[in-house]
Structure formats: C-alpha cells, structure tokens
Amino acid sequence: MSKRSERRLSRLLEGALKKRHGKNWRRYENVFIFGLLFGCATLAHAVPPLSVQGNKVVSGGQQVSLGGNSLFWSNNGWGGERFYNSGAVGAIKNDWKSSIVRAAMGVDEGGGYLQDREGNRNKVISVVDAAIANDMYVIIDWHSHHAHQYKNEAIEFFQDMARRYGDKNNVIYEVYNEPLDVSWSGVIKPYAEAVIDAIRQVDPDNLIIVGTRQWSQEVEEASWDPIRKNNIAYTLHFYAGTHKQWLRDKAQNAMNNGIALFVTEWGTVDASGDGAVNESETWAWVDFMRNHGISHANWALNDKAEGASTFWPGASGTGGWNDGNLTPSGKLVKSIIQSSDPIPGGDDPGPGPDCGSVSAPGKVQAENYCEMEGVEKENTSDAGGGQNLGYIDSGDWMTYKINVPSNGVYTLSYRVASLNGGGIIQAEKAGGSPVYGSVEIPSTGGWQNWKTISHDIQLSAGEQRIGLAAVSGGFNLNWFDVTQKGGPAPNAITVQAEEYLVMSGVELENTSDAGGGKNVGYIDANDWMSYPEVDIPESGVYTVEYRVASLYGGGVMQFEKAGGDIVYGSVDVPNTGGWQTWKTIKHQVTLEAGKQRFGIYAPAGGWNLNWFKITKGQK
C-alpha cells in the first residue's frame, strides 16, 4: 500500500471515528487504524496488461512511454547483485516514480545462472516479488550475448518463471538480451520462437521481448522477417554517446514496417558503458521515445566506477539515496524517469479526468490536474462552489496543460486558504526543471477562508505542461489564473548556478552574495555543469555575465552547448579577494534562436559561481 493510500485511509478513519465517538475518538484511533492497515497490507493493486497493438506496446489499451531502471548483471561477485532486493526496488518506485525494473540475470559469464542456478534465480525472484508488491512492471531478462547456445536452459528457466508469475500482468519476458553478429532469420528468430512456444504453454498472453542482431540495434532487419506470434515486441538498445540519428532512423523504419519496440536498456554515455554524459543526444532519444510511445529502462542501477552507473561507488544497495549519491548520469536519468508517463490506472493516478489544455489568459481549476502526487479534492465554500485541492503537504505536486500564446512575462494568481500559513507554492515545468518562481502562502484565517496571491514568471510560447509543487505544505488551492503582464519577455535570462541538471565535480554551499541562497563551489579543472532548456528569442550576439568569486584568480570559464559539442567562448576569472567576495564578469557570444541547453566548463578551476545571465546585444 502506498504512503498516499495509507494517509487517505487515515483521514477516512478519522472522519468515521469522530462521527461515531465524538471528542473521545482519539482513544480508538491507533488500534482501529492498525487493524485496518494490517488487514489491507497484503492487497495487491494489479497493473494493466501490456499488449502489442500495431507498432506500439500499450498499457491497458493506452499509448504510454513508461520509464524505469535496469539492474546490472546479477552475476555473483560482479557488484550489481547488491541491488537485487526489495529495498532498492521500492526506492526507485517511491522516490523516482519508476514504472519498470529489469532483472538482468547473467547466464553464461562467470558467476551467472549456468554456474549458480539457484542463487541467480533467487535474485530474480526477489526483484519480481518486490516489483509486484510495488505495482511495477518487471522485465525478466536472459542476459546473454549467446543465448541461442543455451536454448534448453532458457526454456527450462522461462517455463519456471511463467508457472510462478504467468498470472501477473506485471511480468515481461526478455528472452535474448543482445545477440551479436549472427543471423536474424537463421539463428535468433528460430531460438526465440522455440522459447516463446515454451512460455506460451504456460502463460498465453504476457508480453515477450526478443533481442535483435548486433547488440539489439538491427530492429529494421527484424521488421523484414517478423515473428508471427502473439504479443511480441523487439528489443532496441542505444547509448547516447555512440548511437545517434542513424539508429533512430532504423527504429523509425522498423516501426513503419509494423513492429513494436521496447528499449530494455539504454545509456547516457558511450556504448562502452563509460565516458561523459551526452546530454543533447540523450534528450533527442527521450523525445523520440515519448513521441512514439516507446517504454524504456536505463542501464544501470549500480555503483560501478563507470559513466553509465546511477550511483557513485559506495552507495547503499537497498535505497535511502540522496542527490549526492547520484552520478551525472544518475541525476539526469532520475529527472527523465520522474517526468515519464505513469502506469494508467495505477497508484500514480495518471491524467486526471478533466485534464485539458487551457489557453492563457485563462483560469485553471486546481482539481483539473493532469497528474498529481499526494493531494485530495474536497468541496469548497469559495465563490463559485465546486471543489478545491486540500491536504497539500510538502513534496506534493500537480501538473496542468497550458497553451501560452507568446513569449513573455505572465502573472500567476493563486486562490489559496491556509489556517496557519508558512506554505510555499512553486511554479515549474512539469517534472521539476526549470523552476519559474515561487510565492509564500500567508495565513488566511482558516481552511476555507480564501485569498488571492500572485507572482510574475517568464514563459515561452506553445502548449506545455506546468507544474505546481508544494515546497512547504499546509494550504488549500481552489484555482490559479494565468495572464500576460504585457510587453515582450525581457531580453535577459538569469540562471542560478545551483539549478544545474547534471554536473561533474562541483559542490553547493551557502552564499553571502546579494539574494542569498546557494552558489556552486569547489570548482576544479575539468569540472562542469549543464542546465535546463532556455529559449533564445532570436539569433545574434549576446552578452553572458557571470557572478564569480575567487581567492587567487587564474581560473577560466567556458560557455558551451551542453555536452561540449559547441564552444561559444571563454572568459578569465580574476582574483576577487575571497571565496565570498563577488564580482560580475562578462563576454560576448553568438547564439542561434530556439530552445537550447547550455553548459559551463572549467578549463582551469579555483572559482565559485552564483549565477549567470544571458542578455541580447552587447553591454
């Protein structure tokens, strides 16, 4: 049972007990709640079945792009086996909003299934049981590059899994991880058909995924000679630093030929599993998967010392992670998974029934969210009646579809009520980045005493998902209104240095600069940060200003496209007199119009950064 479900039960019980026992209800609360929660603890929330419809894998009949994590090889002594447990699975569901986990059971390599069948089988069972308990999909992966050489062992294993889990919609069978350069029609397909037939003797309908030639990249080839069996999808793997538009073209052709794809493994780095994050290509792939309804699992939930790992070495194997445990890849992947589609009808409520696009200027009823976490609806006494959102706690959020007519400054007005005040509501892009601004919630004198508060934010033109997040809770929300403040957007874009999306090497610290908050510090040579997307209104010359501090000087700051493919320019960082003695430096760069992600790189370190500002023209 989710924490939100427990909280809802608690509130329902509180109301029932108050009605039955009046002011003495508290004496019955603990026993009654414990008894009901204990009785409900074993209830399972079934996930919808996954099925192939045309060239899509759909969930409960709905096109989705679900996101999740692949575990590392299960092999004994390889390190990744530490994460094959319920704690790790529960953490990615609850903290990351992962919909999928992949159990990558090593087969023929040292310490794998062929050497220790019972040990590796039990690891898989632990992950599958945890995924079912957390209402997730789980991929049971025969993780081998030579699976066709072990057909009988695969049949035995998958029939065992099908007998154990074939009645659970959660389970997906991946019968061949990554074939090498062997024939699709002569080797891979006949092997897969034999294993599929064996599974279907036990489980008639759960999704089965088949690997494709050349590290599961030749999906187009498979589309020319597809498997003519029920509920079959095909594996596509990519690593953003190596596999670029040419592989997306192959995937598009395969789908055009009628087969459905599932990305059971992907990475932000090179195909070696190492190297730096290629952020621009990662986002190109994410956009491609979302646009085509392709679900995916990122490689790998592990702490091996390589670029593809989610965690730095030494992270816990059972959850309880914070952002300091995350590698640059892990931080980027977490943001991608958190903003992926939820499982339809699952514990995550998914799109609300009244989620429709509202054009600015316009008023949005708070209860007409697209997605949410933690909040509840209740009847309102505010003018106009209807419902408001209540029980808003810290960390709760909602998303909405807004159609913004043009770039500019907009006023967001919120209709709020709060007994005690102290809440903070934050406007952001759905998924949490970038943050547009926040405003404090005052005490209005009661949960149904309503007041309108407002602040100004900058928005780009187009239909988009806007999120409202409770930095601090303790307030109700009835509606919010979006109106253009007038005039074009200011030609200056200010980015707080600590609002990076991914980074390498830097740390945050409190700043004494005007405005307070945090700055980025401990910047050494070769450290870098990359930032969320900003909208450059027109092509031309721009001035980039940086708020810096340095005790010794000698640093160099480079402004670049995120990932480093394009360098726009660099500037020397002077001695400012101290690590918290701040000075603004600047240089001119030439930028193209459009939405872009920028990075800051340190060819030479020894400086702190509080913010940077991009302004049209020369200053």
Side-chain angles (χ1 to χ4, degrees):
M1 179 177 291
S2 70
K3 291 181 180 178
R4 193 180 75 244
S5 299
E6 291 178 11
R7 186 168 61 187
R8 179 175 290 120
L9 271 175
S10 178
R11 286 169 179 161
L12 290 172
L13 287 169
E14 180 178 325
L17 287 167
K18 283 180 177 178
K19 184 175 180 180
R20 176 69 178 85
H21 298 287
K23 65 183 180 180
N24 296 317
W25 73 278
R26 286 284 180 190
R27 72 179 63 175
Y28 301 94
E29 177 188 24
N30 290 338
V31 173
F32 194 41
I33 289 178
F34 173 79
L36 186 53
L37 290 179
F38 180 80
C40 295
T42 58
L43 293 177
H45 299 97
V47 298
L50 293 174
S51 58
V52 174
Q53 294 184 9
N55 63 357
K56 301 284 190 295
V57 176
V58 299
S59 174
Q62 295 185 35
Q63 178 176 318
V64 288
S65 177
L66 305 173
N69 309 78
S70 175
L71 294 166
F72 195 71
W73 301 71
S74 68
N75 304 50
N76 299 338
W78 286 33
E81 67 270 27
R82 294 194 307 115
F83 296 85
Y84 279 69
N85 59 74
S86 59
V89 174
I92 59 173
K93 170 62 187 292
N94 295 321
D95 299 339
W96 290 45
K97 308 305 176 189
S98 292
S99 299
I100 304 165
V101 62
R102 179 182 186 234
M105 189 189 72
V107 177
D108 48 317
E109 303 280 354
Y113 178 77
L114 298 184
Q115 290 187 4
D116 180 10
R117 297 194 180 200
E118 195 63 20
N120 282 278
R121 176 180 178 272
N122 287 339
K123 293 172 199 172
V124 171
I125 288 172
S126 294
V127 172
V128 177
D129 287 347
I132 293 170
N134 281 280
D135 300 332
M136 301 170 70
Y137 294 110
V138 56
I139 301 170
I140 301 174
D141 168 32
W142 188 253
H143 202 76
S144 171
H145 300 306
H146 312 283
H148 62 279
Q149 298 177 12
Y150 309 102
K151 180 178 71 175
N152 292 336
E153 291 86 348
I155 287 173
E156 178 186 14
F157 172 76
F158 280 110
Q159 283 195 322
D160 174 33
M161 291 294 105
R163 282 189 290 270
R164 191 177 185 96
Y165 297 114
D167 62 340
K168 302 292 192 297
N169 291 338
N170 310 72
V171 171
I172 304 163
Y173 310 102
E174 185 178 6
V175 300
Y176 201 148
N177 164 45
E178 285 182 345
L180 302 182
D181 193 11
V182 295
S183 168
W184 164 258
S185 296
V187 177
I188 303 168
K189 181 182 176 185
Y191 157 82
E193 288 176 328
V195 179
I196 291 167
D197 288 344
I199 293 171
R200 290 294 183 237
Q201 292 174 15
V202 183
D203 180 349
D205 51 17
N206 272 23
L207 181 68
I208 299 175
I209 306 174
V210 179
T212 53
R213 189 173 67 84
Q214 202 64 37
W215 311 92
S216 284
Q217 293 165 31
E218 295 296 336
V219 290
E220 187 177 18
E221 180 181 82
S223 74
W224 300 332
D225 183 19
I227 295 171
R228 306 291 182 181
K229 296 184 182 294
N230 176 53
N231 216 22
I232 305 299
Y234 299 82
T235 305
L236 174 66
H237 287 178
F238 70 84
Y239 283 79
T242 303
H243 308 120
K244 302 184 180 182
Q245 186 60 46
W246 60 268
L247 187 54
R248 290 191 288 275
D249 291 342
K250 283 179 179 285
Q252 184 66 66
N253 290 339
M255 290 186 290
N256 291 345
N257 291 337
I259 67 171
L261 303 181
F262 202 118
V263 175
T264 61
E265 178 179 322
W266 68 272
T268 64
V269 296
D270 295 338
S272 66
D274 209 356
V277 170
N278 189 321
E279 188 180 347
S280 60
E281 277 296 322
T282 294
W283 280 109
W285 273 108
V286 171
D287 290 342
F288 179 83
M289 292 188 290
R290 290 177 176 176
N291 290 338
H292 293 87
I294 300 173
S295 296
H296 53 89
N298 173 258
W299 184 268
L301 197 76
N302 193 25
D303 66 343
K304 181 181 177 181
E306 64 178 10
S309 292
T310 301
F311 305 112
W312 296 111
S316 165
T318 57
W321 311 300
N322 56 45
D323 283 351
N325 299 128
L326 299 179
T327 64
S329 180
K331 190 168 184 179
L332 176 58
V333 169
K334 183 179 180 181
S335 72
I336 290 167
I337 292 174
Q338 286 181 323
S339 59
S340 294
D341 291 334
I343 297 174
D347 189 56
D348 186 328
D354 299 314
C355 171
S357 183
V358 174
S359 295
K363 180 181 289 186
V364 182
Q365 296 298 321
E367 66 270 21
N368 292 347
Y369 50 76
C370 297
E371 297 92 19
M372 69 84 172
E373 171 66 28
V375 304
E376 297 184 25
K377 300 177 184 179
E378 61 185 3
N379 292 331
T380 185
S381 65
D382 197 15
Q387 293 186 307
N388 64 257
L389 293 185
Y391 301 96
I392 299 173
D393 299 324
S394 298
D396 291 350
W397 52 264
M398 305 80 70
T399 68
Y400 302 88
K401 286 183 182 177
I402 305 292
N403 191 7
V404 178
S406 60
N407 295 349
V409 176
Y410 289 78
T411 298
L412 261 62
S413 301
Y414 308 92
R415 190 68 168 170
V416 297
S418 176
L419 178 62
N420 301 310
I424 300 175
I425 190 167
Q426 177 172 286
E428 60 190 31
K429 183 177 180 181
S433 181
V435 173
Y436 301 124
S438 61
V439 62
E440 296 182 358
I441 311 291
S443 170
T444 64
W447 296 115
Q448 289 295 321
N449 293 341
W450 295 93
K451 182 177 181 179
T452 303
I453 60 175
S454 64
H455 64 138
D456 294 337
I457 65 172
Q458 183 177 319
L459 295 175
S460 300
E463 185 170 280
Q464 52 203 277
R465 291 283 183 99
I466 300 293
L468 300 181
V471 178
S472 298
F475 62 92
N476 293 347
L477 179 65
N478 191 16
W479 50 257
F480 67 97
D481 187 79
V482 186
T483 56
Q484 191 161 19
K485 193 172 180 66
N491 61 0
I493 301 169
T494 301
V495 180
Q496 297 299 318
E498 69 271 20
E499 291 177 356
Y500 50 76
L501 190 60
V502 289
M503 66 82 180
S504 177
V506 305
E507 298 181 27
L508 301 183
E509 61 185 3
N510 293 329
T511 184
S512 65
D513 198 14
K518 302 280 188 180
N519 66 258
V520 172
Y522 301 95
I523 300 173
D524 298 321
N526 300 316
D527 289 351
W528 54 266
M529 300 83 75
S530 66
Y531 290 88
E533 191 175 76
V534 297
D535 192 7
I536 300 301
E538 59 183 281
S539 300
V541 174
Y542 285 78
T543 298
V544 185
E545 300 171 87
Y546 309 90
R547 190 67 169 170
V548 298
S550 176
L551 179 60
Y552 304 111
V556 179
M557 185 181 317
Q558 181 171 288
F559 189 65
E560 59 186 28
K561 181 179 179 181
D565 292 344
I566 299 174
V567 175
Y568 301 109
S570 62
V571 61
D572 293 337
V573 179
N575 178 347
T576 66
W579 296 116
Q580 288 295 321
T581 304
W582 295 93
K583 182 177 181 179
T584 303
I585 60 175
K586 63 185 178 181
H587 62 142
Q588 276 75 48
V589 300
T590 300
L591 301 176
E592 297 295 323
K595 293 182 178 180
Q596 305 182 46
R597 292 186 176 91
F598 295 115
I600 291 178
Y601 171 72
W607 43 272
N608 294 346
L609 179 65
N610 191 16
W611 51 256
F612 64 96
K613 182 189 298 184
I614 306 169
T615 307
K616 182 70 173 70
Q618 297 187 10
K619 293 183 66 178

